[in-house]
Amino acid sequence: MAIGLFILAIIIQLAMVLAIFLLSLSRVTGSIVALVTVLVTAFISPWSLILGIPIALLCIVLLVAPIRQSLITKPVYKTLGGAMPSMSDTEREALDAGTSWWEKELFMGAPDWNTFAQYPYPELSAEEQSFIDNEVEVLCAMLDEWKIQHEDKELSPEAWQFIKANGFLGLIIPKEFGGLDFSSYAQSRIMSKIASRSPTAAVTCMVPNSLGPGELLMHYGTDEQKQRWLPGLAKGDEVPCFGLTGPEAGSDAGAIPDTGVVCYGTHEGEQVLGLRMNFSKRWITLAPIATVVGLAFKMHDPEGLLGNPDKTDYGITCALVPASHKGVIIGPRHNPIGSPFMNGTVDGKDVFIPLDYIIGGVENAGRGWRMLMECLGVGRGISLPALSTSASEMTYLSVGAFAKVREQFKISVGKFEGVQDATSRMASNTYMLEAFRHLVTCGLNQGGTPSVMTAMAKYYATETMRSVVNDGMDVVGGRAVQMGPRNFLATPYQAIPVSITVEGANILTRSLMIFGQGAMRCHPYLFDELQLLQSEDKESALKQFDTLFFKHLGYTFNRGAKAFVAGYVGGSNHAPSFADSFTRPYYKHINRLSASFALTADMALGLLAGDLKRKEMLSGRLADIHSHLFISTAILQFYEHGTKSASERLHAEVALQNSLYTIQEAFEAFFANFPNRMAASLVSFVTFPSGRIFTPPSDELKRKLGDAFMDDYEANPFRDYLKTMVYYNTEADDVTGRMEHAYQTLLSIEPLWQRFKKAEHKDSFEGLTFEDHVVYASQNGDITEEEAEVLIQYNAIRFDSLLTDVFDKHLLHAQERNNPHSLDNAVQQLTDYAQLKNNAQARNGIATHITAENNVDSNDLAAPASTDKPTGDANPNHGYESDGDVAMVKEQDTIEEVRAQTDFDEYDPEVEALDHRHRDAESHLSERMSNNHRLNQYNTDEVDRSAASEDAEIAKNDIEKPATTDPKWQDGLRRDEGDKV
């Protein structure tokens, strides 16, 4: 009895602790509840004080401020303060820059789904839709990327004029200054459509609308600067560029050596206070044609001319300088991996500019890094994800068409499981990118500059695009390897490194920025604690830290309790109001993983402190977890606003399973490599008590999605939707339209084509060429003349879509490709094979007849077949049926072959070892193949006698036919002298 009461009391105490954490009670309230519980359980069993006394003592410490501060707060403050690295003004500006949005909810471990459900789904206004349907459509039709890249090496004058005249460089500028003032979502859609036609044109339009003078002027410029520059930028009269990176500063842009020193100089004939500039910028997009240059530099005032002699170094500052300004040197062009968008150098030595060239005036001196960090969000969150989404969507469309049209082993290549492993990944990743784009632009549409979210968008969009395009290259193979104006994959493939590198290299973005900035911007207490740890007023900071630190502890224990409970009973059931039976389980998983992430992040920050900055592999895994939580919610939101068709559900299901599995594996790798093994094991047990719970998509799911990848219209509404996102056409002589034209033509005649090919594969037609077969079927009455013409026309379109380019000896000019299968040329493909064969058979008294095996189904295009069934290379089925299934052995082999290969009654290894047929594998195989041909000739016992002619009966009787039970036909080889050919 006493033992039972003791156990009950202990359980009550533990339940009380768990409840305090789950309910997130305050320090005072939680301590009082704990003390009362200890007293109550002491009456139940005095032995419960074994646990109760430590709990009571801790509560007393927490309640009495002097004791708490002496025993806990001061030691923690001192320890953490010593562990934190010093922070420069630039780093402080970067960490403090930007805002947070939905990613903060996921970081904190308790996402508010009511808030999520109320986010306005991004849509285009009537004006924005009209611009995409008209101006963007016209621009795309003007662009030929092969000509741009390999002949002109730049946009045509007509394209440039159209871009400038129609406001493509002023999408973000307010209408009061002559701009279009479009939403973030509209900008993304516009850039995607242009990029689907020409990455060169897309980058040209992208830069003025992202990181550039226009963006900086709108947010920070003085009224005078806005009036001076924005109208010209909106109309295209002014072409901007922004100089940030240089030979000594790439990812570490804060280390730029470019300087501006405050001094007096002459400007427009007057002596004014200004800056003596020295700078050397590289890899600056639009620099070769820019009329106005934005510059980032470090500003110094050694003489205190700005009025504060104690402040000599102001830090990074941004200025706007006319390209024609004295001393500014616009240098030669770079060649960014073959993509000829304008990119070059900007240099200047002892260039004097007045102080009012500083963006925002002298008041913004030293605020350049913060300005850049906040404005980089546009390029990271809109432009680069738009280009990545576009490349993936065009790859989806083109490779899906190719996978359907291209046949190998007599079936579409998209039916092979090895190919479907890649195409299912392409389909789900493209779906993810479109979903990701919608949620990110939703956040940007609401204002603010969510730097963490846009860093996620930049990294995972460009990396996913790399995966999609690489998979596409694998599927398409040689058709995508051979360069030329027909190649629809080479351009996005070549552009991959540019997207990966610009706007913050991807390695840096994942390993440092996403979680590093995420912890500062998304954690409810960390940034304020960090500020207090580095405060010079230690006494005041300690008092504030005391309050903040225990709130932080309460937050951590609350997330730990939620993760612990979720590990055993699953995550919280909280979900948006629109959740259904398909999506609800995923919301539950996200609730669980979000709480687990909050606990794991706090463990990492608390135990590693400043060292986490150097543990980039650990930081990168935390970035993967945080980002894929965000991506999962984006997929769920996109699915909710989609068709919810079976095909779209397949896309969403595979994408969600990929994200959840990625999150799980990132957790496992993080725990396996965390330096403090005890802490890692404890948190791992709390978050994943039963081990791994997610698996990657099953083969069955991938097969289904691989099939859907080749469908269109009602069978795959997502593919139909993608056509509205890009520049879509079916022109037979267009780089992307050519394959789509073949694909759409196939869809329109597919029943006829499949019936014909099935009959052709069963050797129902005489002749050597496709045209022979069509004529034979037409003359035999199996197809009409109209159907014959349709087949010839499609075969010509199909063949042309698969042709690659050829060039002159010096690879300067692509040659025109002749199509031997066109309707005009088809007659030249006809042969006299059938006539010659019939004549020969007539001379030898052999009549054509139909064997049971060669009979075709009633739905096939049946035609009489020859008695000598083609074998070997003439009939390379390789065991595959037209629907991609593998034929069983009994369907592939004759009765004689089955018997020969399975009769082991007289098998003698020693005898065979001495037999030349078994010692010489090559000659043995040759004999077997020869015998197979003979067997096919002799196989007539299943002749359809009702259909056979009298001549066929005579011919049959003249042929010596071996009995299937004759033991002399062992192992498929005739072993007596009666073996005749």
Side-chain angles (χ1 to χ4, degrees):
M1 182 66 177
I3 295 176
L5 291 174
F6 169 70
I7 294 174
L8 175 62
I10 294 297
I11 292 175
I12 292 173
Q13 290 176 354
L14 292 175
M16 171 270 301
V17 173
L18 182 62
I20 289 173
F21 293 155
L22 282 175
L23 297 173
S24 194
L25 300 181
S26 68
R27 173 173 51 83
V28 174
T29 305
S31 298
I32 293 173
V33 170
L35 287 172
V36 171
T37 304
V38 168
L39 291 174
V40 171
T41 53
F43 283 107
I44 297 174
S45 172
W47 288 102
S48 67
L49 292 174
I50 294 174
L51 178 60
I53 290 175
I55 291 176
L57 290 175
L58 179 60
C59 290
I60 292 172
V61 169
L62 293 176
L63 289 171
V64 181
I67 300 176
R68 180 181 70 250
Q69 292 177 7
S70 177
L71 295 179
I72 300 177
T73 307
K74 288 182 180 179
V76 170
Y77 184 84
K78 184 177 180 180
T79 301
L80 291 177
M84 289 294 178
S86 60
M87 187 183 301
S88 66
D89 291 339
T90 297
E91 287 180 307
R92 187 173 287 106
E93 284 279 347
L95 291 175
D96 193 35
T99 58
S100 57
W101 189 60
W102 176 244
E103 71 278 12
K104 182 172 183 176
E105 293 279 341
L106 296 167
F107 189 102
M108 292 171 58
D112 185 344
W113 296 112
N114 291 328
T115 299
F116 180 76
Q118 293 171 7
Y119 287 146
Y121 191 69
E123 295 179 345
L124 297 173
S125 68
E127 182 184 5
E128 292 166 343
Q129 185 67 63
S130 174
F131 188 83
I132 290 174
D133 293 341
N134 294 286
E135 284 84 350
V136 178
E137 185 80 8
V138 171
L139 174 62
C140 288
M142 298 171 66
L143 301 170
D144 180 343
E145 189 67 3
W146 174 263
K147 190 172 186 294
I148 292 169
Q149 285 199 14
H150 300 277
E151 297 178 16
D152 298 341
K153 307 296 183 182
E154 61 178 330
L155 294 178
S156 67
E158 295 78 14
W160 261 116
Q161 179 58 34
F162 189 85
I163 287 171
K164 292 179 179 181
N166 288 276
F168 283 87
L169 304 184
L171 300 178
I172 63 173
I173 295 176
K175 292 185 177 181
E176 62 183 290
F177 297 106
L180 296 175
D181 197 17
F182 282 169
S183 67
S184 297
Y185 178 59
Q187 295 172 53
S188 177
R189 288 282 305 274
I190 291 167
M191 295 306 160
S192 277
K193 188 163 184 175
I194 299 172
S196 70
R197 192 61 173 170
S198 167
T200 302
V203 172
T204 300
C205 297
M206 177 184 84
V207 171
N209 291 292
S210 56
L211 176 60
E215 179 82 3
L216 293 172
L217 284 171
M218 285 166 50
H219 288 89
Y220 308 105
T222 64
D223 290 339
E224 183 180 354
Q225 289 171 337
K226 292 177 182 179
Q227 294 293 338
R228 164 65 180 87
W229 294 108
L230 288 180
L233 292 170
K235 295 177 182 178
D237 296 335
E238 302 285 359
V239 178
C241 71
F242 194 88
L244 176 59
T245 54
E248 302 292 337
S251 295
D252 184 14
I256 54 177
D258 312 287
T259 59
V261 179
V262 180
C263 64
Y264 283 98
T266 302
H267 176 68
E268 295 181 351
E270 296 183 8
Q271 191 80 357
V272 297
L273 191 61
L275 297 166
R276 185 176 66 253
M277 306 279 294
N278 286 281
F279 50 89
S280 180
K281 303 294 186 180
R282 297 294 181 271
W283 318 305
I284 311 304
T285 300
L286 296 187
I289 57 170
T291 62
V292 56
V293 181
L295 290 173
F297 58 94
K298 288 184 176 177
M299 181 171 160
H300 305 276
D301 183 15
E303 300 179 77
L305 297 177
L306 294 180
N308 187 352
D310 296 328
K311 187 173 184 179
T312 59
D313 297 326
Y314 280 77
I316 295 177
T317 304
C318 295
L320 205 58
V321 182
S324 59
H325 193 81
K326 183 179 180 180
V328 175
I329 302 171
I330 301 294
R333 290 177 64 181
H334 293 305
N335 186 3
I337 208 162
S339 186
F341 59 87
M342 290 294 173
N343 190 271
T345 65
V346 181
D347 292 278
K349 184 173 178 60
D350 293 330
V351 177
F352 180 80
I353 64 171
L355 288 177
D356 59 12
Y357 278 16
I358 296 174
I359 297 177
V362 179
E363 292 78 9
N364 274 342
R367 298 190 64 212
W369 191 238
R370 182 188 186 96
M371 293 159 60
L372 293 173
M373 291 301 297
E374 292 181 344
C375 290
L376 274 170
V378 180
R380 289 178 180 153
I382 298 178
S383 301
L384 289 170
L387 267 62
S388 300
T389 302
S390 170
S392 299
E393 291 174 347
M394 286 304 297
T395 303
Y396 184 116
L397 292 170
S398 297
V399 176
F402 175 90
K404 179 84 169 178
V405 171
R406 176 66 161 153
E407 294 182 1
Q408 293 284 272
F409 309 120
K410 300 184 178 179
I411 62 172
S412 295
V413 297
K415 281 287 186 179
F416 292 97
E417 283 196 13
V419 173
Q420 289 179 336
D421 191 32
T423 57
S424 63
R425 191 165 51 242
M426 294 171 64
S428 60
N429 279 339
T430 303
Y431 189 86
M432 180 275 277
L433 283 174
E434 187 61 42
F436 201 11
R437 180 242 293 274
H438 274 78
L439 189 56
V440 170
T441 53
C442 174
L444 292 171
N445 279 348
Q446 292 190 297
T449 52
S451 54
V452 177
M453 179 187 76
T454 53
M456 290 177 180
K458 193 275 174 180
Y459 175 82
Y460 292 95
T462 55
E463 288 294 341
T464 303
M465 177 266 292
R466 176 172 12 200
S467 172
V468 171
V469 175
N470 279 335
D471 279 333
M473 291 291 293
D474 289 348
V475 173
V476 178
R479 176 68 173 84
V481 169
Q482 299 299 331
M483 291 292 290
R486 289 172 170 266
N487 195 315
F488 53 80
L489 265 185
T491 295
Y493 183 76
Q494 281 184 306
I496 289 173
V498 176
S499 297
I500 297 296
T501 304
V502 300
E503 304 281 12
N506 274 11
I507 291 177
L508 169 77
T509 302
R510 174 179 177 267
S511 61
L512 283 176
M513 293 183 61
I514 294 175
F515 183 74
Q517 276 196 309
M520 294 298 110
R521 302 310 312 159
C522 299
H523 196 287
Y525 307 110
L526 189 61
F527 183 74
D528 292 334
E529 288 173 327
L530 190 60
Q531 296 287 81
L532 292 173
L533 289 172
Q534 300 209 350
S535 173
E536 295 181 359
D537 186 355
K538 299 298 183 184
E539 185 176 349
S540 175
L542 184 61
K543 292 180 180 179
Q544 297 178 59
F545 183 80
D546 179 59
T547 301
L548 206 58
F549 176 69
F550 283 99
K551 286 183 178 180
H552 187 162
L553 282 180
Y555 161 85
T556 302
F557 286 126
N558 172 260
R559 274 33 179 191
K562 286 185 175 182
F564 178 77
V565 172
Y568 287 94
V569 301
S572 163
N573 287 318
H574 293 306
S577 56
F578 51 69
D580 57 24
S581 59
F582 168 64
T583 60
R584 191 172 296 280
Y586 290 106
Y587 287 112
K588 190 171 184 177
H589 290 320
I590 292 170
N591 288 331
R592 171 181 179 174
L593 294 171
S594 179
S596 299
F597 173 64
L599 175 65
T600 305
D602 256 15
M603 175 192 73
L605 292 165
L607 296 180
L608 295 182
D611 285 341
L612 187 58
K613 181 178 180 180
R614 291 177 286 275
K615 298 289 185 181
E616 295 181 14
M617 295 183 190
L618 294 179
S619 178
R621 294 180 183 113
L622 292 172
D624 290 340
I625 297 169
H626 192 191
S627 299
H628 275 279
L629 284 171
F630 188 93
I631 288 169
S632 298
T633 61
I635 295 168
L636 290 167
Q637 185 203 54
F638 187 67
Y639 175 80
E640 175 61 29
H641 289 84
T643 63
K644 296 189 178 180
S645 63
S647 172
E648 184 167 354
R649 179 169 172 169
L650 267 177
H651 285 77
E653 189 171 4
V654 174
L656 286 165
Q657 289 189 17
N658 280 329
S659 281
L660 295 180
Y661 183 73
T662 299
I663 291 170
Q664 171 184 268
E665 295 307 294
F667 268 119
E668 292 292 335
F670 179 88
F671 294 139
N673 292 279
F674 194 73
N676 190 320
R677 302 305 309 139
M678 182 179 295
S681 298
L682 176 62
V683 177
S684 177
F685 172 74
V686 169
T687 54
F688 290 92
S690 59
R692 287 178 166 87
I693 57 176
F694 302 111
T695 60
S698 67
D699 290 353
E700 180 62 21
L701 264 182
K702 290 192 282 188
R703 281 194 295 268
K704 289 180 179 179
L705 186 53
D707 286 339
F709 182 73
M710 296 184 289
D711 291 333
D712 204 356
Y713 304 112
E714 295 84 359
N716 184 6
F718 181 63
R719 187 184 198 276
D720 217 27
Y721 166 84
L722 293 183
K723 300 172 191 174
T724 67
M725 297 290 109
V726 299
Y727 180 74
Y728 176 81
N729 76 95
T730 57
E731 298 297 326
D733 60 350
D734 183 80
V735 59
T736 56
R738 179 178 287 107
M739 183 57 68
E740 187 68 11
H741 176 57
Y743 171 74
Q744 294 296 339
T745 304
L746 174 58
L747 292 184
S748 67
I749 68 159
E750 190 168 15
L752 171 64
W753 177 256
Q754 291 300 331
R755 291 200 315 273
F756 182 83
K757 295 299 288 185
K758 186 175 182 180
E760 186 181 48
H761 296 166
K762 290 189 175 183
D763 308 302
S764 302
F765 312 130
E766 294 285 9
L768 298 178
T769 67
F770 176 85
E771 286 78 6
D772 283 345
H773 296 165
V774 172
V775 170
Y776 184 94
S778 177
Q779 291 177 344
N780 205 46
D782 298 312
I783 59 175
T784 66
E785 290 186 8
E786 182 181 357
E787 288 174 328
E789 186 170 330
V790 167
L791 289 170
I792 293 290
Q793 286 177 330
Y794 169 68
N795 189 54
I797 293 169
R798 177 197 62 81
F799 185 82
D800 181 72
S801 73
L802 300 176
L803 283 177
T804 55
D805 290 287
V806 294
F807 291 81
D808 60 276
K809 180 179 179 180
H810 301 289
L811 298 178
L812 295 177
H813 304 289
Q815 308 295 313
E816 184 176 349
R817 297 307 312 267
N818 177 55
N819 187 349
H821 298 287
S822 68
L823 200 58
D824 292 337
N825 296 334
V827 67
Q828 301 174 21
Q829 304 306 311
L830 296 174
T831 70
D832 57 357
Y833 172 84
Q835 185 62 44
L836 290 174
K837 182 177 179 180
N838 289 335
N839 291 342
Q841 289 179 336
R843 287 195 302 270
N844 291 288
I846 300 174
T848 302
H849 57 272
I850 306 172
T851 67
E853 186 177 358
N854 280 339
N855 262 330
V856 295
D857 296 336
S858 59
N859 291 330
D860 294 342
L861 299 170
S866 171
T867 57
D868 53 342
K869 178 183 177 183
T871 59
D873 288 340
N875 183 27
N877 282 309
H878 293 264
Y880 285 104
E881 297 177 342
S882 60
D883 60 357
D885 292 337
V886 180
M888 297 296 100
V889 171
K890 65 182 180 180
E891 298 174 296
Q892 298 181 47
D893 298 339
T894 64
I895 296 174
E896 288 82 1
E897 286 178 307
V898 173
R899 176 174 177 77
Q901 294 178 37
T902 57
D903 186 0
F904 301 112
D905 292 342
E906 298 182 17
Y907 175 73
D908 189 338
E910 294 183 2
V911 173
E912 290 189 352
L914 298 175
D915 193 316
H916 73 89
R917 283 186 293 264
H918 297 280
R919 291 196 308 273
D920 187 346
E922 182 177 355
S923 62
H924 176 61
L925 179 61
S926 177
E927 287 178 303
R928 286 291 305 274
M929 292 298 292
S930 298
N931 190 64
N932 285 345
H933 282 273
R934 289 195 299 274
L935 288 176
N936 283 325
Q937 181 177 358
Y938 293 142
N939 183 23
T940 58
D941 56 336
E942 292 184 343
V943 171
D944 186 344
R945 302 182 188 279
S946 63
S949 65
E950 183 178 350
D951 290 338
E953 288 289 343
I954 296 172
K956 177 179 73 67
N957 293 330
D958 289 340
I959 298 175
E960 178 182 347
K961 173 180 175 298
T964 59
T965 57
D966 189 346
K968 296 178 181 179
W969 280 85
Q970 176 190 341
D971 203 36
L973 294 173
R974 183 79 184 240
R975 302 185 186 278
D976 64 0
E977 295 180 356
D979 182 12
K980 299 179 181 179
V981 179

